[in-house]
Amino acid sequence: MSRNKKNSTMRSLQDDAHEKNHLDEKAHYKAELRALQIELVKLQRDIIRKNEKILVILEGRDSAGKDGSIKRIIEHLSPRETRVVALSKPSDREVSQWFFQRYIEHLPSAAEMVFFNRSWYNRAGVEKVMGFCTDQQYEEFFAEVNNFEGMLVRSGIHLFKFYLDISRDEQKQRLEARKDDPLKQWKTSPIDEKALKHWKDYSEARNIMFARSHSPFAPWIIVNANDKKIARLQLIKGLLSRLSYTDKDEMRVLPDQSIIFEYESLYLDNGMIQE
């Protein structure tokens, strides 16, 4: 066999092995996702039976994977008891209201699961970095947010705050891919163009947000989201593991604490949270 033919054969075998590994990983992901979605259905059945109220907040930089994560979580849940809230820019009337007022009408009622795709924490992130709020409004937010969330929890709402954390390189790749994907044009915005330029500003705002709004009753839960599929699975596990429900598969929902973990300030220094 000639050297060129031998090299071509080796490349072909390597390509076949790579394709097989890719298919195996895809099949494993689908199987685990389905198993976790079954657990979510079990959870919702109990929530409806017990008239519980679940509120899940998803925050993170642009392109961190909030949309895709929510889509997988709610895919097989009852649409009557499941809502996704993704509020647009506040109207002039809403701007004149108490800051938290526009969110109150979207809070869960009995037997409901509500997912906030971004939330009142816009004030601590985008609004602060882009200058959409004053320093006084920013400080008022932090003076009130823990009390506000405490009231929600005391009222019987199960509140979960997840932050999807990605690296600068990963965000750059995703934003570039978004521009070229005709199915994702609706996701692009002028804010996207400034996301990388203001990377350090967003990091600083995020770190302040964690430090000032992390609490025992409403802790921040960080998800390393550089791998979208792993992040989705771990996010679901993180939610399921924190709630009790009938026929729960405890081992199935056990999260990987190197991927998903509650905020600690030391994680800003040891690399577990992106700089």
Side-chain angles (χ1 to χ4, degrees), residues 43 127 225 235:
L43 169 64
E127 292 188 21
L235 173 58

Side-chain angles (χ1 to χ4, degrees), residues 54-67:
I54 311 296
L55 176 58
V56 180
I57 288 174
L58 269 77
E59 291 288 345
R61 298 178 192 265
D62 290 326
S63 75
K66 298 178 290 295
D67 294 326

Side-chain angles (χ1 to χ4, degrees), residues 230-245:
I230 291 176
R232 290 166 188 164
L233 298 177
Q234 292 301 320
L235 173 58
I236 297 173
K237 290 182 179 184
L239 177 61
L240 291 168
S241 65
R242 287 170 169 81
L243 289 163
S244 60
Y245 56 93

